[in-house]
Amino acid sequence: MGFREHSARVRRILGIVLAVLLLGGVAAALAVGGDKDDSGTATKTVRGVIGSEKAEFFADPEVVKALAAKGLTVRTETSGSWDMEELPLKGYDFAFPSAKAPADELKAKAKVTGAPLRPFYSPLVVVAHSAAARVLADNGLATLGSGGHTGALHMGAYLAAARADRTWQQLKGSAGHPELSGTLFITSTDPVASNSGALYLAAASYVADGGRVAGDQAAVDRTAPLLRKLIQVQGAQQSSSDAPFRDFVSGVGNPLVLVYESQVAAQLLAEQNMGDLVVLYPDTTVNSDHTLVPLTEGGRTLGELLSSDPELRKLAVRHGFRPQGAAAEFTAATAGHTGYLNQTLGGVRQAPVPTSKVLHIMALKARDQGGTA
């Protein structure tokens, strides 16, 4: 073999070796870069149980992205707020019921200390189809606004009608509306399992007992017959507010349904067709303070982020919730939907909520399951 041929062969071998080394270097660089990217976006997974009305919030890709940017991946399962008390808490980082009362029970069970974390809240409202709302207004049980899509439910008059077992057919203007038949009642959730159902009883008890918050067995007993009527006329009840609202929106079920304002506001902000929906704000109602109970440091971090992070607060509003301590955020976001929403809650009185113990006894009494203070 001549020198020139030998030299060419050596160059080919060196070229192959160099190519292999270069490819190895690129692969190594990609591997290092991948590890670096992964470590830069790594998140801590926190697991919790939530009320169903917050399921769409936590499933929102924008919420997932905002939480990941803060280092958290959140995994959730849903439960009725009062049912959470029966769940084994081991393995959870947080519990997120829809009100302070079940949260207090969970805090006591888990021996959690520290200030409560209440990122946002929502008042209870009654959604009605337009025909039902007009009949209520014509009979003095409600007042409608000028646009006809929002108004006030007069709780005193409604409870008097419930006490007298009034039917839709007894109300003037109901003729010609076959869907308005049978006993007049509001569909609510199971008060033993669900926060919204229990708060409905709290507001009704407060009104029925002359503006007094139930504080003992005697107070519960005074309104128990009426509360029992409110619940037992409904038959089987759901354990969360999500299903009754979806039934209402799809056009099935009772013409009057108790829901969270957030469920309506979320639909409006998503530009959903609201059909003939009317939002009635009870003139005496209860705000549902969504209260996060941190069971680990990861859970507390989540609660603090939901309370203070501007992007997460903005996303909470998009899902219809009112952030604590910042009415302007909700007002600005819903400015185009004042035909349905009472942004300032003007004319709405907030009923005090009994202690969790008394509220639970009240729910058991309403379900005719006994209960003593």
Side-chain angles (χ1 to χ4, degrees):
M1 179 184 297
F3 174 79
R4 184 174 298 175
E5 293 173 336
H6 178 77
S7 178
R9 185 179 180 186
V10 170
R11 284 198 299 269
R12 283 197 299 273
I13 294 171
L14 288 174
I16 292 170
V17 172
L18 181 60
V20 170
L21 290 173
L22 285 172
L23 286 172
V26 169
L30 287 173
V32 172
D35 288 343
K36 182 177 181 181
D37 291 342
D38 288 346
S39 64
T41 58
T43 58
K44 175 182 176 63
T45 298
V46 293
R47 293 176 171 81
V49 57
I50 62 172
S52 64
E53 69 291 329
K54 293 183 283 288
E56 290 189 2
F57 170 76
F58 280 106
D60 184 338
E62 292 297 315
V63 173
V64 172
K65 181 180 177 182
L67 287 168
K70 298 295 181 179
L72 290 183
T73 295
V74 179
R75 305 283 184 231
T76 64
E77 59 185 73
T78 60
S79 167
S81 291
W82 284 102
D83 276 347
M84 291 181 192
E85 186 182 346
E86 304 303 319
L87 295 174
L89 298 178
K90 186 176 181 180
Y92 290 126
D93 296 287
F94 67 95
F96 203 173
S98 304
K100 179 178 180 295
D104 286 345
E105 292 295 311
L106 288 163
K107 284 181 65 179
K109 178 181 178 180
K111 298 180 173 58
V112 174
T113 59
L117 297 164
R118 301 174 194 165
F120 39 73
Y121 67 98
S122 184
L124 289 171
V125 300
V126 174
V127 290
H129 293 296
S130 58
R134 285 195 302 271
V135 170
L136 293 178
D138 290 344
N139 289 270
L141 287 95
T143 301
L144 296 182
S146 57
H149 286 295
T150 190
L153 176 71
H154 305 316
M155 281 292 285
Y158 166 71
L159 293 177
R163 189 179 283 110
D165 298 316
R166 293 186 74 180
T167 65
W168 283 103
Q169 292 93 326
Q170 292 173 328
L171 302 180
K172 65 181 181 181
S174 63
H177 298 289
E179 74 278 12
L180 302 180
S181 63
T183 305
L184 171 69
F185 69 90
I186 295 170
T187 292
S188 64
T189 53
D190 180 353
V192 175
S194 170
N195 171 64
S196 59
L199 293 184
Y200 174 46
L201 296 183
S205 171
Y206 182 77
V207 173
D209 205 21
R212 290 180 290 182
V213 60
D216 54 27
Q217 187 72 51
V220 172
D221 291 342
R222 280 196 298 270
T223 61
L226 172 61
L227 301 187
R228 195 171 295 121
K229 280 191 174 188
L230 297 179
I231 298 303
Q232 295 188 354
V233 70
Q234 300 181 46
Q237 292 178 289
Q238 300 279 355
S239 63
S240 70
S241 61
D242 186 56
F245 181 63
R246 291 185 183 277
D247 286 346
F248 178 89
V249 170
S250 65
V252 299
N254 193 45
L256 302 175
V257 179
L258 184 82
V259 301
Y260 295 107
E261 179 198 55
S262 60
Q263 292 170 286
V264 178
Q267 294 278 323
L268 290 167
L269 291 168
E271 304 297 334
Q272 296 292 319
N273 181 4
M274 305 304 286
D276 68 345
L277 179 143
V278 179
V279 186
L280 299 175
Y281 287 76
D283 55 15
T284 300
T285 190
V286 176
N287 278 347
S288 180
D289 291 318
H290 294 269
T291 306
L292 188 146
V293 180
L295 305 173
T296 66
E297 281 305 309
R300 180 165 293 280
T301 297
L302 172 63
E304 291 170 349
L305 284 172
L306 293 174
S307 300
S308 62
D309 182 74
E311 180 64 17
L312 288 167
R313 288 170 67 89
K314 178 182 176 181
L315 290 167
V317 171
R318 193 171 78 180
H319 283 270
F321 300 108
R322 295 176 181 247
Q324 290 283 6
E329 294 178 47
F330 182 84
T331 301
T334 59
H337 303 291
T338 54
Y340 289 91
L341 302 176
N342 181 348
Q343 291 180 305
T344 63
L345 299 180
V348 176
R349 178 172 59 165
Q350 293 297 317
V353 179
T355 64
S356 57
K357 179 182 178 182
V358 171
L359 191 58
H360 193 59
I361 293 167
M362 187 181 292
L364 290 172
K365 282 279 190 179
R367 284 273 302 272
D368 202 20
Q369 295 179 336
T372 55

